[in-house]
Amino acid sequence: MLPAEGFTCFPGKMWDKVLSKVKKAVVFMDDKCAESLHWSGGANIVFEAGARNLKQFSSFEAGGENEPKAVFVVSTLLKGRTADIMKDIIGLSHFQYCVVFTTVAHSIHLIANNVTAELEGNPVFEKFEEKLCEWMGDMNYTAEVMHAPVVFTRVSQQLLLVPTFAHLFPLLPQDLDTINIKRPEKKRFGSLTDVDMPSLTPELQIEIKSLASAVNSMFEFTSTREESFAVGPMSRLIAGELANHPQAKNRRKTSTNKASIVFIDRTLDLTGAAGHHGDSLVEKILTVLRRLPGHTADVQVDMLELTNLQRTPDCQPTLAPGCLAQTQSPTARLLWETMLVSKQKEAVMEVRRQLVEAASKENLPIKMSLGRVTAEQLSSYVQLFRSNWEALERHCEVLQLALATAQTLRHPTLPRWDTCLALERLLLQALGDSDFAGVLRQLLPLMKPAAAPADQKPVSGSSLGSRSGEDECGPDELLVLLVYLYSLAAEAQPADDEDEEEVEKVERELIGALTLVITREAELSPLLQKLTGCSCSAELTMERAHTAVEGVFETLRELSHARDHLKHFKSVYTASDGVHQATYRPFLRQVLEEIFHPDRTDCPDIEHMSGGLTELLKTGFSMFMKVSRPHPSDHNLLLLFLVGGVTPSELRLIREVVSAHKPGTQVLVLSNRLLRPTDVPELLFTSQRLMPDIGV
C-alpha cells in the first residue's frame, strides 16, 4: 500500500466502527456527520449494516414503539444543546439500549469540563452513560458512549475534507481587536502572529484542539510520524497544538511511516479563492447549482430528465435530487476525479465520452457528434436512458454527474462567471497603472440596482426588481469582486494623504451604491440573508442594508495586510513589464516551489512546529555546528492542510507543480471545505470566527 492510500482509507475505517453497532437500531445523526457519511458510502452502508432507520438528530424525531435500540452519531461535545436534544429523543421513544458516538475525543471533554488532571478511564463518557440510562427510565438498561473520529471524508484520491470544521476560518484584524479588549493594555497583542491559545475564546480553543486531535487520530491509524509546518497565524496555532498533543509523543516513538504536514491560512491568498480564473467545471457546478441542505461540498442535481414527469406552473413534482458524491461505481468515481482536477473543456469531453460509452454498452440509439460539447447534447444522451429502467439503474451515478454538467452549462446565471472573469482581468491590469482610488472607481458603474417592473410598488423605501441581463453582476458577485480587489490593494501605486482621502470618498460612494443594489433585490440570496439578518426583502430597510455594507468595508480594508508579517511570500501579483500583462501568482504555487526548491533553503515563512526537547537541542547545536533542520520535502509524502478551504482549480495547480518539480512525491490535500467564490464573502463577513458552534 502506498503511504497516501492509508490516509484515504482512514474515513471508511472510522465509519466501520460506527457501523459495527447499528444492527437493528434507529440511527440519529447530525448534519456534519451526515455530510461525512455522504462521501463515505451514504445511507446505503448504514442500512446494509442492519440499521432499521436513519433520522436527523433533532428534538422533533423519535423511535417507534417496537424499536428498542438507538445509535447517536454527533460531531459535538456531549453537553448543553446536544445533551438536551438526546434527552428529548429518548424521552419520546422506548429505548432500552443506547449507543452514542461523538467525534470529540474524551481528552477534549475533560478540557471542556475544566478538568486539567490526567484521569484513568473515560469518566466523562461513563457519567454520560448513567444519564442515558436515567433518561431511558431504567438504570439496568444498556448505554455505551465512545469516541469515533468520523470527521474526515474522502472526496477524491487527492482530497480529504473535514466538513465538521467547515466554518473554521483564520482570524482577521477585527478579531484581534475583540481579543485585545479583554486584555490589560500592557498585555495587548500587536498583531495576529502574537496571539496564543489561552487568549482565544473557550469555544475556539475547543474547535482547534478537536481538529488537532482528529489529525492525530489519522496519523495514529496510519502509524505515521509527522513533521509539522505552518504558514500563517491560525495554522501556527493548529500545528502547535498537534505538535504538543498529549498522545502524539508515544505515537511518534513507534511509528513506522514518515510524512510532512504543512498548514496554510486561506486568508494569505483570498485572490485565488474569490477569483473566477480557475477554468474548472466543478467550481462552476458548485457555484450555480443549489447546495444540498446541510452540506458544504455537494449540490442538488435535478433528476426530472430521467423521468416522464412534466413540470408546469400548476404541477411541481417532488423528486429526490441527485448529487456529485458517487462512491459506489468505479467508473463514476474516475469521472468525478477528472471533473475535479481537469480544465473545463477536458472535463466536459470526458463526461460526453462516458455517456456515449454507457449508451453503447446498453445498445441505446445514440447519435454520435463531434466538436463542441453542449448542454443540449448531454441532455439528449441522458434522456436515452429513461425508457430503459435496468440501464438507468446500472449507470445512475454517471448520469447524475452528466446531468450536473448539463444543468450548469445551460444555467441562466452562468454568463455572470465570464463577466466576473473579464472584470477581474481588467482590475488586475489597472492595479499596476493607477492608484487604488482609480481602480476602485472602476467598480462604480457595475453597482446597478435591479430594474423594477412597471407594476411593482415600492417596498421599504425602494422598488424591487430583477436583472435585465443574465450576465449582469448581482450583489453576491459584487461582494466577491470587492474581496478580489481589496485582497490585492497593496499592489496598487503608492498612495499619499490626498490619495487616501480620495479612497475614502470613493468608498463612501460604493457603500451608498451597494446599499441601493441590495435593497432593490426582489429576493435575498442566502449570503444577503446572513449579511443583513433579514430572511426576505420585505424585512430589509435601507438602514439595515447600509449598516451591513459599512461592516463589509471595515473588513475589506484589512485584507491587503494579511501578508504583512511574511518575509518571502509578500505578494501574489506580478506587475506588467510592458511586454507581458500583469498576472496573479498563486500563493500555493509559491509555497510549493519553495518546498521543492533543489537548494532546500530554510524559508522563514514556513515555520517548523514539531517542537519538543529534541528540536530545541537541534536549534541550539545549529549555532555551533552544522545540524540539518527538518524540511517539508524530507519525506515522500506531503500533506497540505488549507485552513479555510481549497478550490478545485487549486487541486489541479498542486498536481501540476508537483509533477513539474518533484514527480516522486505524493501530495495529499486536506481542508475543511471545498470553496466556491461566494463562500469567501460569507466566511469573511457573516461567520462567528471567535465563537464557533460547538453544540453547547
Side-chain angles (χ1 to χ4, degrees):
M1 183 187 284
L2 291 166
E5 286 178 10
F7 289 91
T8 53
C9 290
F10 175 68
K13 294 294 182 186
M14 292 305 101
W15 275 107
D16 287 347
K17 184 178 178 180
V18 175
L19 297 176
S20 68
K21 292 284 185 180
V22 304
K23 194 170 184 182
K24 295 183 179 177
V26 186
V27 181
F28 298 89
M29 196 177 295
D30 69 18
D31 285 352
K32 290 175 179 177
C33 290
E35 182 168 12
S36 173
L37 175 71
H38 177 70
W39 289 93
S40 301
N44 273 358
I45 62 171
V46 178
F47 290 115
E48 283 167 9
R52 286 190 179 180
N53 209 338
L54 179 58
K55 298 187 176 189
Q56 187 176 24
F57 182 66
S58 160
S59 294
F60 302 101
E61 294 287 0
E65 277 188 42
N66 60 342
E67 293 172 330
K69 182 182 175 185
V71 173
F72 297 92
V73 190
V74 295
S75 60
T76 48
L77 290 163
L78 300 178
K79 59 188 293 190
R81 190 175 74 242
T82 303
D84 292 341
I85 294 171
M86 220 170 280
K87 184 181 178 182
D88 290 343
I89 293 170
I90 293 169
L92 293 167
S93 308
H94 300 81
F95 300 137
Q96 298 172 25
Y97 180 15
C98 281
V99 184
V100 175
F101 288 99
T102 172
T103 65
V104 183
H106 186 264
S107 58
I108 310 292
H109 278 83
L110 288 175
I111 294 165
N113 287 286
N114 300 313
V115 179
T116 52
E118 286 189 25
L119 304 174
E120 284 187 18
N122 296 320
V124 179
F125 289 175
E126 288 160 16
K127 185 89 174 162
F128 200 75
E129 285 171 0
E130 289 175 17
K131 279 188 179 178
L132 290 168
C133 290
E134 197 180 298
W135 296 337
M136 285 189 281
D138 191 330
M139 298 307 286
N140 292 316
Y141 285 166
T142 309
E144 295 176 66
V145 177
M146 56 194 88
H147 168 231
V150 288
V151 296
F152 285 94
T153 190
R154 174 186 160 173
V155 172
S156 77
Q157 288 179 333
Q158 187 190 359
L159 175 66
L160 289 181
L161 287 184
V162 272
T164 306
F165 302 94
H167 291 92
L168 181 67
F169 198 70
L171 299 179
L172 300 174
Q174 60 256 52
D175 300 316
L176 179 66
D177 296 339
T178 307
I179 292 168
N180 277 335
I181 285 169
K182 296 176 182 177
R183 297 176 66 81
E185 198 166 331
K186 289 182 179 177
K187 292 188 176 180
R188 287 182 180 172
F189 298 116
S191 73
L192 285 168
T193 51
D194 303 325
V195 173
D196 54 16
M197 279 291 283
S199 63
L200 301 177
T201 60
E203 291 84 356
L204 186 52
Q205 287 186 49
I206 293 290
E207 190 88 337
I208 290 172
K209 286 176 185 290
S210 297
L211 177 56
S213 170
V215 175
N216 180 68
S217 297
M218 183 174 64
F219 285 133
E220 215 163 73
F221 172 79
T222 54
S223 185
T224 302
R225 176 197 169 103
E226 86 287 1
E227 293 292 350
S228 295
F229 301 85
V231 188
M234 177 62 87
S235 289
R236 194 169 179 273
L237 293 172
I238 299 167
E241 204 54 43
L242 176 63
N244 297 309
H245 193 277
Q247 289 152 13
K249 200 177 286 183
N250 290 331
R251 166 176 59 78
R252 293 188 189 111
K253 285 178 187 173
T254 57
S255 294
T256 53
N257 300 310
K258 291 182 178 179
S260 299
I261 182 166
V262 182
F263 293 87
I264 302 172
D265 280 9
R266 176 76 266 175
T267 43
L268 299 175
D269 184 5
L270 290 171
T271 314
H276 294 72
H277 43 248
D279 192 21
S280 164
L281 173 62
V282 171
E283 264 176 45
K284 292 178 181 178
I285 291 172
L286 292 174
T287 301
V288 303
L289 299 187
R290 291 173 66 188
R291 284 260 166 96
L292 271 177
H295 288 242
T296 58
D298 208 345
V299 295
Q300 301 179 52
V301 180
D302 189 349
M303 304 293 279
L304 192 72
E305 289 177 68
L306 286 172
T307 72
N308 291 312
L309 298 170
Q310 296 294 319
R311 192 171 278 146
T312 65
D314 304 321
C315 176
Q316 297 288 328
T318 302
L319 272 179
C323 63
L324 301 175
Q326 305 303 332
T327 57
Q328 305 300 316
S329 157
T331 306
R333 228 175 10 235
L334 282 171
L335 176 57
W336 166 246
E337 295 273 351
T338 304
M339 289 168 67
L340 192 59
V341 297
S342 299
K343 291 190 174 181
Q344 181 178 325
K345 186 179 177 182
E346 297 160 22
V348 169
M349 287 182 75
E350 182 61 17
V351 171
R352 179 173 68 179
R353 192 183 74 78
Q354 290 291 352
L355 277 177
V356 169
E357 206 169 284
S360 302
K361 279 181 186 174
E362 301 296 340
N363 295 318
L364 296 173
I366 194 161
K367 291 180 181 176
M368 293 292 293
S369 60
L370 299 171
R372 187 167 163 265
V373 183
T374 64
E376 291 70 30
Q377 185 187 81
L378 294 178
S379 285
S380 68
Y381 290 174
V382 166
Q383 286 166 21
L384 293 171
F385 289 82
R386 70 181 172 195
S387 56
N388 186 330
W389 181 253
E390 289 81 9
L392 193 154
E393 197 171 8
R394 275 193 290 272
H395 302 284
C396 188
E397 291 91 347
V398 168
L399 294 174
Q400 287 177 65
L401 294 174
L403 279 172
T405 304
Q407 287 162 23
T408 298
L409 294 178
R410 64 165 176 259
H411 201 277
T413 63
L414 189 63
R416 292 185 193 177
W417 184 282
D418 294 329
T419 302
C420 287
L421 176 60
L423 291 166
E424 285 162 9
R425 285 176 175 165
L426 285 171
L427 294 170
L428 204 61
Q429 303 313 313
L431 276 167
D433 301 331
S434 64
D435 57 30
F436 191 58
V439 184
L440 266 183
R441 199 170 281 286
Q442 295 189 27
L443 290 180
L444 277 169
L446 304 176
M447 303 281 175
K448 295 179 193 169
D455 60 345
Q456 183 75 55
K457 292 180 182 176
V459 178
S460 300
S462 172
S463 55
L464 306 183
S466 57
R467 315 229 147 258
S468 54
E470 289 177 346
D471 58 349
E472 271 187 30
C473 288
D476 286 18
E477 289 81 19
L478 292 172
L479 287 167
V480 172
L481 279 172
L482 284 166
V483 172
Y484 181 88
L485 182 54
Y486 272 86
S487 69
L488 292 165
E491 314 297 347
Q493 296 292 315
D496 54 27
D497 291 344
E498 275 186 34
D499 289 334
E500 287 189 11
E501 283 177 21
E502 185 63 21
V503 168
E504 286 176 22
K505 183 186 170 189
V506 178
E507 280 183 348
R508 284 196 297 273
E509 291 178 50
L510 283 169
I511 289 169
L514 186 54
T515 300
L516 188 59
V517 168
I518 292 171
T519 53
R520 284 275 183 91
E521 286 297 293
E523 193 177 324
L524 297 181
S525 67
L527 172 59
L528 292 183
Q529 287 177 30
K530 288 179 183 174
L531 186 65
T532 60
C534 299
S535 58
C536 63
S537 55
E539 293 176 19
L540 184 61
T541 62
M542 193 71 79
E543 291 74 22
R544 287 181 80 165
H546 193 266
T547 303
V549 175
E550 280 186 326
V552 163
F553 274 81
E554 279 176 31
T555 303
L556 287 170
R557 291 181 195 114
E558 303 290 350
L559 297 185
S560 63
H561 301 295
R563 293 182 295 274
D564 283 358
H565 66 284
L566 299 177
K567 295 178 175 64
H568 196 79
F569 307 127
K570 273 199 166 303
S571 175
V572 292
Y573 178 81
T574 302
S576 169
D577 58 3
V579 179
H580 304 97
Q581 287 190 325
T583 54
Y584 156 64
R585 284 194 305 149
F587 189 83
L588 257 180
R589 181 185 291 280
Q590 295 180 54
V591 171
L592 285 169
E593 285 175 352
E594 183 64 34
I595 287 172
F596 296 132
H597 197 283
D599 293 346
R600 287 172 48 86
T601 51
D602 272 345
C603 177
D605 296 337
I606 306 174
E607 189 176 354
H608 180 239
M609 298 299 296
S610 294
L613 182 61
T614 311
E615 185 53 35
L616 284 172
L617 288 171
K618 274 188 185 178
T619 307
F621 284 130
S622 66
M623 297 165 79
F624 308 106
M625 58 205 312
K626 197 171 182 181
V627 178
S628 63
R629 288 170 61 82
H631 191 274
S633 65
D634 283 344
H635 309 298
N636 286 332
L637 177 59
L638 173 65
L639 281 73
L640 291 176
F641 196 120
L642 280 94
V643 182
V646 64
T647 67
S649 49
E650 284 172 335
L651 295 175
R652 183 172 71 244
L653 180 145
I654 291 165
R655 184 175 283 196
E656 289 169 357
V657 173
V658 174
S659 62
H661 290 81
K662 205 172 180 185
T665 303
Q666 284 186 290
V667 177
L668 187 63
V669 182
L670 293 84
S671 190
N672 49 331
R673 68 191 294 155
L674 194 57
L675 284 174
R676 53 184 184 167
T678 46
D679 286 336
V680 183
E682 182 185 325
L683 291 163
L684 286 173
F685 309 135
T686 72
S687 64
Q688 297 291 318
R689 290 174 295 276
L690 284 169
M691 298 290 288
D693 181 7
I694 56 171
V696 176

